[in-house]
DNA sequence: AATGAATGAGCCTTCATTCAT
DNA sequence: CATGAATGAAGGCTCATTCAT
């Protein structure tokens, strides 16, 4: 029993450390999203996380690391959403993308702070291309996109879809989705589930059928 | 004669002042786009504009004003592009949007720094909603979008287009366009005119006809 | 028996406490010598001493106390060396100083970290004259020097040596010795015993006979 | 005339910049000597130099650069002293070293702050051997020492002096000199010119003739 | 109007010290 | 006694802004 106790001892510490890291990231991401990276001070983050300034540095090497910690969280969440939506067995591309769109919109609405951070991060991704970490994020981003492209590819070979470059049109789809979310976040709209479903279906409808009346 | 002289005097001075403001904005926008607002110092802007630091303050009240000056320039450019593309007499919505898409992509490629600034600016637009200036930008943005929506509206009433909310699908179209541009700017692609045309047509095709094989 | 036990109990505890203090001082003095007082963190000392940071504070009131602990150790060692060299019965001043020089050089080479700490400490000694501890060190330093001066004094009264102020020339002798050691420590020379002997004899020869050819 | 004026314009600015750098170094060197490098804050230096904190950075890249600026000044002064003392035409080694000793003691007394900085610098010289700047100082130090050794060498070949290694005994001489200065600076003695002359002669006498009564 | 030296508020980060476990 | 997470004061440095020339 004693040994059992000891075995559990180490994980508990680690779990607590991780939990506290997440608390700090929570505080930071809200502030970063509200005011931007530079206009958020460590003092504010510490205050919001209910720690002293110095304590933050027991959990993150510096402000930048915190930022990347947050971005990685976001990527993890987006990966889950993507994987879940694409994995539905027997579903068509249209069904999968509808599920994906619903999940993305719902997530964006629930975490509009994250959404805004993604936009900000987009900028950094464009500029600091030297940085190792940025490159990793870049690759993760592309990998996620390819998961979705793959779903297109299958149905293109079926001739259910037109023979576009799967990756290229995936970006277009993503663009519509992001644009839609940004529009409503800007306008501070709080969408109901029904509205989210309608929106997702609208986007998918336009994407698959176009806006032209035949 | 003397009075005449004086009458001309003032405009010349104003013209020179304006010209010098634009020189400074040119320098600033390149740097802001490259390194972001916070990581660009007035020292650097002054150096690039070939003025002394103090001189900048004869033309702009502070760093923020410069930023908004740039954004306004960008809005002016986008307005021109939009107006030009939408004004073609007798053209269909599809033709107008194709022209618009070509112009936007070409402009984005030629001025990728501006494109990046827009992304960054998107963030500020979302947050500092109190600021008078920001509100104006917001409204200009919406006004531009409505010009495009109007073109949709006409053809919806013709029943050439499906009966979607014109503004809502305008955002979707914009989203595809932006997403496409971002993808290529990230990848540092230099598109030829032919490639730009093809891209614009691709986007418009997806937008009007959808990706589904009928 | 029990009482006996308890009597021994306290000394053992004290001995252990003292032993652990010395372990910590060992760790600290190496680091202080390598990187200086300010650039050595308690974290590092604790790590090197294989204790936790907080534990250090069970043995020393603060970082400064540790520093003085080390300096006192060094003084103890120098005292031993001095006493040993000066105590040789029937030896002449020249023989005693030769023995002293050999011991000092050998010790400096073996503990160049300490030597460097002494230099550093010299500075503090000069400045913080208010501090009680510093004054004590100052006095110990002088006392050691006087032990050597005393040996001079005896032989001055014998007229074996010229009638210089014993303390004054003691400082000159010390100066040569220190300078010599510093030269070789800087150059990272590892002197053999033979070289040390030769060096000590050189210094003593210059000191007693001068450099002039008669 | 106008052109003449302009020609002088640039040097004036440079001269003023240099003058202000020296003012700052003056302030810094007193404080560094009093309290050490680490215990002196830039705030204090700025205050003593009667500038604002930020202004310091118009003249020095960082705290370290200031430190090396001071050390270089000291080296310059020591070089002058050495060169002047060694250059006396027709003087014997003994006369030259006497002149040198007098100058060094007088300078040390007048600038005891510098003397203490040298001691402190000695430490850095020993440790941070990687740094380019430190290496340069090291070499300058050796070069100065060699100037003195050269004077020895000449008289060794004359057989006026014993056949010791010139550089080695130069270090011994320097050691006596430094040790003597440190002793009096520690004791806060203010030596008169007569006392300085006596001291220099004492040291040279011991160095050339030794302490032994023949 | 142009200059650039001076300013000083403010930021990130470090680290000696404390204290609950 | 040992631990190490938490603390917060303090420091080096940056940079937007001012102002005397």
């Amino acid at each position: 029993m004693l040994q059992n106790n000891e075995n559990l001892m180490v994980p508990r510490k680690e779990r607590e450390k991780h939990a506290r890291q997440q608390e700090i990231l929570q505080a930071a991401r809200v502030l970063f999203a509200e005011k931007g990276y530079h206009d958020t001070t460590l003092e504010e983050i510490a205050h919001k996380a209910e720690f002293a300034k110095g304590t933050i540095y027991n959990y993150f090497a510096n402000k930048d690391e915190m930022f990347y910690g947050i971005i990685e969280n976001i990527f993890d969440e987006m990966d889950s959403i993507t994987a879940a939506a694409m994995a539905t067995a027997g579903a068509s591309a249209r069904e999968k993308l509808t599920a994906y769109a619903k999940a993305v919109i719902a997530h964006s609405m629930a975490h509009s702070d994250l959404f805004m951070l993604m936009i900000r991060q987009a900028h950094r991704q464009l500029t600091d291309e030297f940085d190792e970490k940025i490159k990793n994020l870049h690759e993760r981003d592309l990998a996620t996109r390819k998961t979705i492209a793959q779903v297109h590819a299958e149905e293109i070979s079926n001739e259910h879809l037109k023979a576009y470059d799967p990756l290229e049109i995936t970006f277009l789809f993503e663009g519509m989705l992001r644009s839609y979310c940004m529009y409503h976040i800007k306008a501070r709209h709080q969408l109901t589930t029904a509205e989210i479903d309608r929106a997702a279906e609208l986007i998918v409808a336009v994407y698959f059928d176009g806006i032209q009346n035949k």
Side-chain angles (χ1 to χ4, degrees), chain A residues 85-86 88-99 151 155 160 208:
Chain A
M86 298 304 136
T88 323
S92 67
R94 185 164 189 154
E95 287 161 345
K96 285 175 178 173
L97 288 186
T98 305
V151 171
E155 304 236 11
H160 292 164
F208 276 80

Side-chain angles (χ1 to χ4, degrees), chain A residues 99-135:
Chain A
Y100 175 71
K102 286 178 182 174
V104 167
I105 298 173
H107 187 264
S108 298
M109 292 295 134
H111 305 283
S112 56
D113 57 340
L114 297 190
F115 188 82
M116 283 159 59
L117 260 183
M118 283 296 283
I119 291 169
R120 166 164 293 267
Q121 190 268 344
H123 175 79
R124 298 207 150 198
Q125 217 166 321
L126 288 163
T127 52
D128 310 39
E129 56 189 333
F130 334 96
D131 194 293
E132 195 61 26
K133 285 221 176 60
I134 296 282
K135 277 200 168 151

Side-chain angles (χ1 to χ4, degrees), chain A residues 7 15 54 129 181 208:
Chain A
N7 281 343
R15 261 182 290 124
E129 56 189 333
C181 291
F208 276 80

